[in-house]
Amino acid sequence: MAHRLRGIDISPVGGRGLPLAALLLLSVAPVPVLAQAPLRQGLAPGQQIVSSAGRIRSIRVVGNERLEAETVLSYTDLSPGQAYDREILDRGLKDLFGSELFADVRILDDGEGNLTIDVRENPVINRVIIEGAKRVKEEKIREEIRIAPRQIYTRSRIRSDVGRILELYRRSGRFAARVEPKIIQLEQNRVDVVFEISEGPKSKVRQVNIVGNERFSDKTLRGEMATRQARPLRIFTSRDTYDPDRLAFDQQKLRQFYLTQGYADFRVSSAVAELTPDRRDFIVTFVIEEGERYRFGEVDLKSQIRDVNADDFRALLPMKSGDWYNAKLIEDTIDSLTNTIGLLGYAFADIRPQFQRDRDKLEMNVTFMVNETPRVYVDSVTINGNTITHDDVIRREFRLAEGDAFNSIRVRRSRDRIQSLGFFQEKLEIQQKPGSAPDQVTLQVDVEERPTGSIQVSAGYSSLEGLILNFAVQQRNFRGRAQNLRFGVNWSQFSRGIDLGFTEPYLGGRNLALGADVFRRDFNSFRFGVQGERIDTFTQTTTGFQIRSGFPITEFWSASLRYSLTFDNVTVDEELFFTDGQCDPIKAGRYVCDALGKYTTSLWGYTLAFSSLDNALRPSRGQRFAVSQDIAGPGGTVQYLRTRINYDRYWNVWRGFILNLGGEAGNIFSLNSEDIRLTDRFFLGEPRFRGFDIRGVGPRVVRKPLLDDGTPSQDPDTWATDSVGGRNYYLARAEVIVPLGATGEELGLRPSAYVDVGSLWKSDPGTLIFCPNVPSQTPIPSGCPTDEGTRGFQEFYLGDTWRPRISVGIGVNWNSPFGPFRIDIAKALKLYEGDQDQLFTFNVGTAF
């Protein structure tokens, strides 16, 4: 007798040995997805039917190629000497097929207890081929599927992987995707598995219907949801694709919104997604019940902790009787109380609000219960997820160590310091978990490292200077030790520069930073001639180095010291601007002639700074103040004192809107009788003062040629202008960073609107006349002598005033797929004669 169950039938292919393309055309057969039911075969000729009772004398295994006979028998309960009947043999067949190692199995009985197990092994997978995957990367599909080369082929695994691929496409919004698995038989009982994918169109949410809303419009409620209706202009977001998980999330978003508006009885009765008749998109319908709107009734706080006086903590309750009920306010109050009580050392303060609903008065009475909890201490600090950054780089930012009494403020400060490193995800949190004892707590931070290197290419256009390019490479976490390595090159029609810098933040394991920079800068100043041609006025070449050191004074105060030595050489084209071997102010300008020469600047400086920012790179709250002074003197030929002050304050004002108010100011004055060189003065304009060109604000000299009658020319095309800088400046700004919710985060957009106010002043005002061939080219207060054969020129100084310039604008940072963009459009509202404005600027870069 033969007992046989038929599994996956992989028939030999007549085209064996043909190229793969031929096999695909000639030999590819679809694999059924549903498993076949086992079929019992009829009796073989000459075999006897197993009697109702018998005993196994011997068992022989045939047909096995890779598996040993003992391995095959181990999957059954059959053994020589065992009594058997038809039911036992059927069970043996099922066990062998259940191992998923065999395509076909038969048990043959000669009627005398001699059994033969005839098997045909499942093939081995040679390759897994994925065809048709375009919208979902093949790498992501391979991460999902479980089958792999050199594994045993089974129908159940194929079926499971088909489901995984379809689920992957559903998560990306492609519910019309189809997957057809096929096999190609090869020699030596091997097969290639092919998943043929038809991706289909992306399933959109064509319409969102809301039924039952009376207090709020459909538009308002849709704005609270994560799901968006598909529209032609929504090409940069995936929130209009159908996602069942997002549908469930939208139900929670609706509930949160109504609970913040006082509707404590709100509920979503149903949320249904239906395919459109063309089976391409979905129509989503929410059925809601708003209920009545409640106000706060009696609000109280009770405490069971001895150190927490309920009377003192009631002042922290922001809600008052008669206010509209707000569930978000309840959550914020619990967080505020938890943080405040955490200052007393209670890490797991158990604060539970108790609600008593008065349906007649439509009031919600709330009592905050502060239940007794033990004072706790830090058991350990655990860091997970850092694959590049060393543990000690993160640990040294913690303000708590093992054995310290728990303090929630220090935990929050530790989070802010780790966040300010800029090495990890935006919303980093330090979790508090039970320690090894009831009075112990473990602080755990799970970090997700992000790129800390950057390659930035900035580009801008100025009507004065044309194309401006900058290239910089920086790694802020070099070798995973928070070391900063930087290299930069800039080029434009007026300047070229190269610099290299390195900073070690913890020298020798101590909280002492040490850094060094070397640089070379070439600056070509120019102006436009009578015919609009570009005329270079002077060239400044600067070479030097700087050594920096910084250290903390307190938790929020820090200081830094620096020394730099620079060598400047200011020159002009002698063929154009020299007369009789000397710089001619008629041709070059008085300020240029005064600045010519070689100078050595030995500069000593310090900075004293205070910072309570929650994030040094993208702050949302806190403030920063810095005052710095640099003195040029011993060891150099230049002597001056330069002072700068900077201040910024950030507030998270409302629903993610961040307000920044900031300002800066500076002053420089000479320590000897000489005037401040042109190259050492302050200059103001883009990018710090948006809406103005580079060096577009402040004192500017306009040189007008004298006519035959001794009066200056009134034709602007004959004038020459130069920015001459100033000794004093100030710049203030008010900027609001606008949140775009999940859509903005998904696209990497961070828009802002701003107002900039500032000024630059204190040069050498006056009106001076220069004549040719006058000894020492001394300026004279009246017209040139009439016997001169060459006309002179008259200088007019413009824009030398402290009065404010004002600009307004909008800008956006965009982390695009090909790098971060910054675009600004700013309009100068208030400017003075001589100022030069600029409407549009942008830059682009990438990170690694």
Side-chain angles (χ1 to χ4, degrees):
M1 171 181 292
H3 290 260
R4 178 185 180 94
L5 291 176
R6 188 173 304 277
I8 302 174
D9 187 8
I10 308 177
S11 304
V13 179
R16 181 175 299 171
L18 293 175
L20 176 60
L23 291 177
L24 288 174
L25 290 173
L26 301 176
S27 326
V28 178
V31 176
V33 174
L34 299 177
Q36 283 186 336
L39 301 176
R40 186 175 301 281
Q41 300 297 314
L43 299 177
Q47 288 184 325
Q48 300 177 2
I49 300 176
V50 175
S51 60
S52 59
R55 193 167 296 277
I56 300 175
R57 295 177 61 187
S58 65
I59 303 177
R60 187 166 63 98
V61 178
V62 297
N64 53 311
E65 298 178 1
R66 297 183 305 274
L67 300 175
E68 298 292 338
E70 292 77 6
T71 302
V72 177
L73 289 174
S74 68
Y75 287 98
T76 71
D77 293 332
L78 303 176
S79 60
Q82 172 189 351
Y84 74 99
D85 56 17
R86 186 184 299 274
E87 183 179 350
I88 291 176
L89 295 183
D90 282 347
R91 188 164 59 247
L93 283 172
K94 292 179 181 178
D95 291 340
L96 288 171
F97 272 106
S99 68
E100 295 191 337
L101 296 174
F102 308 103
D104 195 11
V105 178
R106 292 190 304 165
I107 298 180
L108 307 176
D109 179 15
D110 64 357
E112 296 180 0
N114 298 311
L115 303 181
T116 299
I117 302 178
D118 186 2
V119 299
R120 182 156 58 91
E121 296 176 352
N122 270 334
V124 174
I125 298 174
N126 178 58
R127 289 186 305 165
V128 179
I129 303 171
I130 299 173
E131 296 181 348
K134 297 179 181 178
R135 300 299 181 181
V136 176
K137 291 184 179 180
E138 184 175 326
E139 293 77 8
K140 294 189 66 175
I141 296 177
R142 293 191 180 275
E143 291 174 0
E144 290 289 328
I145 61 178
R146 297 293 180 263
I147 65 169
R150 295 183 294 279
Q151 289 184 351
I152 302 298
Y153 172 92
T154 66
R155 182 181 300 176
S156 61
R157 289 180 179 176
I158 296 293
R159 187 188 305 117
S160 297
D161 282 343
V162 168
R164 292 187 181 96
I165 296 174
L166 289 175
E167 179 60 29
L168 184 63
Y169 273 92
R170 290 190 184 103
R171 290 202 299 267
S172 65
R174 298 184 182 274
F175 285 80
R178 293 184 295 109
V179 180
E180 186 175 4
K182 296 182 178 181
I183 61 169
I184 302 174
Q185 278 190 316
L186 306 174
E187 57 186 9
Q188 299 178 352
N189 200 21
R190 296 175 300 127
V191 294
D192 286 342
V193 178
V194 182
F195 290 105
E196 291 188 352
I197 302 174
S198 175
E199 296 181 316
K202 211 166 191 178
S203 300
K204 302 280 189 178
V205 176
R206 185 175 297 180
Q207 188 173 339
V208 176
N209 298 323
I210 304 174
V211 180
N213 54 313
E214 297 179 357
R215 308 290 184 176
F216 300 98
S217 66
D218 288 2
K219 181 179 179 180
T220 300
L221 297 182
R222 290 192 192 108
E224 296 295 325
M225 299 180 187
T227 301
R228 292 288 182 262
Q229 297 181 128
R231 294 293 182 267
L233 297 180
R234 287 190 176 136
I235 58 177
F236 293 111
T237 180
S238 62
R239 292 173 62 187
D240 58 353
T241 60
Y242 175 70
D243 186 345
D245 295 334
R246 191 182 294 133
L247 186 65
F249 178 67
D250 284 336
Q251 296 182 56
Q252 296 299 321
K253 292 283 287 182
L254 284 174
R255 176 170 172 76
Q256 291 174 7
F257 172 73
Y258 271 92
L259 288 179
T260 60
Q261 302 299 319
Y263 295 89
D265 297 328
F266 172 84
R267 72 186 188 95
V268 179
S269 300
S270 66
V272 180
E274 299 176 306
L275 274 172
T276 55
D278 57 9
R279 305 188 66 82
R280 293 176 59 90
D281 299 326
F282 284 86
I283 295 177
V284 178
T285 302
F286 293 92
V287 180
I288 64 175
E289 297 179 15
E290 293 180 323
E292 298 293 339
R293 193 178 188 188
Y294 285 77
R295 294 181 182 271
F296 280 109
E298 295 182 4
V299 181
D300 197 10
L301 182 143
K302 297 181 180 179
S303 172
Q304 297 178 359
I305 300 178
R306 182 185 59 184
D307 297 334
V308 178
N309 188 315
D311 294 334
D312 296 336
F313 278 78
R314 285 192 185 98
L316 297 177
L317 303 180
M319 65 284 295
K320 305 298 180 184
S321 179
D323 293 346
W324 290 112
Y325 174 75
N326 187 332
K328 180 65 168 56
L329 199 57
I330 299 288
E331 296 177 4
D332 294 343
T333 303
I334 293 175
D335 292 340
S336 175
L337 292 172
T338 300
N339 292 333
T340 305
I341 296 174
L343 293 175
L344 304 177
Y346 298 93
F348 301 103
D350 185 14
I351 302 174
R352 299 186 181 182
Q354 296 180 352
F355 301 94
Q356 184 179 6
R357 185 174 305 176
D358 190 332
R359 298 185 183 277
D360 296 331
K361 296 182 179 180
L362 295 179
E363 290 183 346
M364 186 73 71
N365 301 317
V366 184
T367 301
F368 293 91
M369 296 297 301
V370 183
N371 299 317
E372 187 173 3
T373 55
R375 191 186 297 269
V376 296
Y377 300 87
V378 177
D379 183 18
S380 61
V381 175
T382 305
I383 302 170
N384 300 321
N386 53 316
T387 58
I388 299 176
T389 308
H390 290 227
D391 265 19
D392 60 311
V393 172
I394 302 175
R395 288 185 181 276
R396 66 196 183 198
E397 302 300 330
F398 270 89
R399 303 297 94 180
L400 288 169
E402 286 84 351
D404 289 351
F406 177 84
N407 186 303
S408 61
I409 295 296
R410 291 190 175 185
V411 171
R412 187 162 63 248
R413 178 60 180 168
S414 301
R415 179 202 63 192
D416 292 345
R417 289 180 64 92
I418 297 172
Q419 190 87 71
S420 293
L421 290 174
F423 304 160
F424 311 112
Q425 71 272 24
E426 286 293 331
K427 297 180 180 179
L428 183 144
E429 293 295 336
I430 298 178
Q431 302 179 45
Q432 304 160 25
K433 297 189 174 182
S436 58
D439 63 343
Q440 301 286 320
V441 61
T442 294
L443 300 180
Q444 177 177 311
V445 55
D446 297 320
V447 300
E448 297 176 10
E449 291 182 311
R450 63 182 185 181
T452 54
S454 63
I455 299 177
Q456 184 171 5
V457 179
S458 350
Y461 185 82
S462 164
S463 60
L464 179 64
E465 302 160 51
L467 185 64
I468 304 168
L469 298 175
N470 287 278
F471 173 78
V473 180
Q474 183 180 25
Q475 175 54 261
R476 295 180 290 106
N477 192 15
F478 185 59
R479 301 192 304 151
R481 297 187 178 275
Q483 297 167 335
N484 192 314
L485 183 63
R486 172 178 50 83
F487 171 75
V489 177
N490 65 75
W491 178 93
S492 75
Q493 294 183 9
F494 82 99
S495 69
R496 296 170 182 83
I498 183 171
D499 64 275
L500 176 66
F502 176 79
T503 303
E504 167 57 63
Y506 270 73
L507 184 64
R510 296 180 174 86
N511 200 355
L512 176 67
L514 183 66
D517 305 283
V518 293
F519 50 86
R520 166 67 183 262
R521 305 185 186 102
D522 295 336
F523 173 76
N524 297 318
S525 182
F526 67 91
R527 55 180 168 79
F528 290 110
V530 175
Q531 303 299 326
E533 72 277 12
R534 180 181 184 275
I535 301 176
D536 291 334
T537 53
F538 70 89
T539 298
Q540 178 185 5
T541 300
T542 302
T543 305
F545 70 89
Q546 183 182 62
I547 299 175
R548 300 170 277 106
S549 177
F551 52 91
I553 301 175
T554 67
E555 178 61 30
F556 298 102
W557 285 93
S558 63
S560 62
L561 304 174
R562 57 188 169 274
Y563 172 75
S564 65
L565 183 65
T566 59
F567 302 94
D568 294 317
N569 185 18
V570 181
T571 61
V572 296
D573 189 337
E574 296 186 4
E575 293 184 0
L576 295 177
F577 300 111
F578 268 49
T579 300
D580 297 331
Q582 292 185 350
C583 179
D584 190 340
I586 294 180
K587 299 178 179 179
R590 179 164 57 94
Y591 277 96
V592 174
C593 291
D594 291 344
L596 295 184
K598 295 183 178 180
Y599 304 90
T600 299
T601 304
S602 178
L603 194 66
W604 303 80
Y606 75 91
T607 297
L608 186 65
F610 170 89
S611 177
S612 62
L613 300 178
D614 62 336
N615 188 322
L617 300 179
R618 298 181 66 176
S620 61
R621 57 178 171 81
Q623 56 186 326
R624 185 182 188 278
F625 168 79
V627 57
S628 62
Q629 285 190 309
D630 296 278
I631 183 170
T637 59
V638 178
Q639 296 182 3
Y640 62 78
L641 176 64
R642 182 171 57 206
T643 304
R644 283 194 178 100
I645 298 176
N646 291 271
Y647 179 77
D648 278 286
R649 181 70 183 269
Y650 294 86
W651 294 270
N652 196 333
V653 289
W654 179 69
R655 290 194 173 187
F657 284 83
I658 299 172
L659 172 63
N660 167 223
L661 297 181
E664 57 181 285
N667 167 265
I668 184 172
F669 69 89
S670 177
L671 297 179
N672 54 24
S673 59
E674 296 182 3
D675 190 17
I676 299 296
R677 293 187 307 156
L678 176 69
T679 55
D680 291 326
R681 296 174 185 174
F682 295 115
F683 291 88
L684 195 59
E686 193 273 330
R688 289 158 59 204
F689 202 157
R690 294 159 292 193
F692 289 90
D693 205 347
I694 297 176
R695 301 191 173 194
V697 175
R700 185 174 302 275
V701 61
V702 178
R703 302 169 62 240
K704 300 180 181 181
L706 297 177
L707 302 177
D708 293 337
D709 59 1
T711 61
S713 170
Q714 300 302 312
D715 182 4
D717 292 337
T718 64
W719 301 347
T721 64
D722 289 298
S723 175
V724 295
R727 300 179 190 174
N728 301 317
Y729 85 95
Y730 66 86
L731 179 62
R733 61 187 166 274
E735 185 166 8
V736 176
I737 300 173
V738 182
L740 295 181
T743 301
E745 292 182 3
E746 181 181 350
L747 297 177
L749 294 174
R750 187 179 168 93
S752 64
Y754 48 82
V755 177
D756 289 345
V757 179
S759 186
L760 174 74
W761 75 100
K762 200 171 184 182
S763 182
D764 289 331
T767 301
L768 301 176
I769 300 175
F770 287 82
C771 297
N773 302 324
V774 175
S776 302
Q777 299 298 337
T778 304
I780 58 178
S782 58
C784 295
T786 56
D787 58 347
E788 299 295 337
T790 306
R791 291 176 297 174
F793 68 88
Q794 187 172 357
E795 290 184 345
F796 294 86
Y797 289 88
L798 308 176
D800 190 4
T801 174
W802 60 268
R803 292 183 176 86
R805 283 77 165 170
I806 303 173
S807 69
V808 297
I810 57 175
V812 61
N813 286 316
W814 178 29
N815 291 325
S816 70
F818 41 88
F821 262 104
R822 173 68 190 184
I823 300 174
D824 281 291
I825 300 176
K827 173 66 175 177
L829 299 181
K830 180 64 176 179
L831 64 168
Y832 290 88
E833 186 178 5
D835 292 341
Q836 297 179 349
D837 58 348
Q838 180 169 295
L839 181 66
F840 175 80
T841 59
F842 77 95
N843 63 69
V844 62
T846 188
F848 64 92

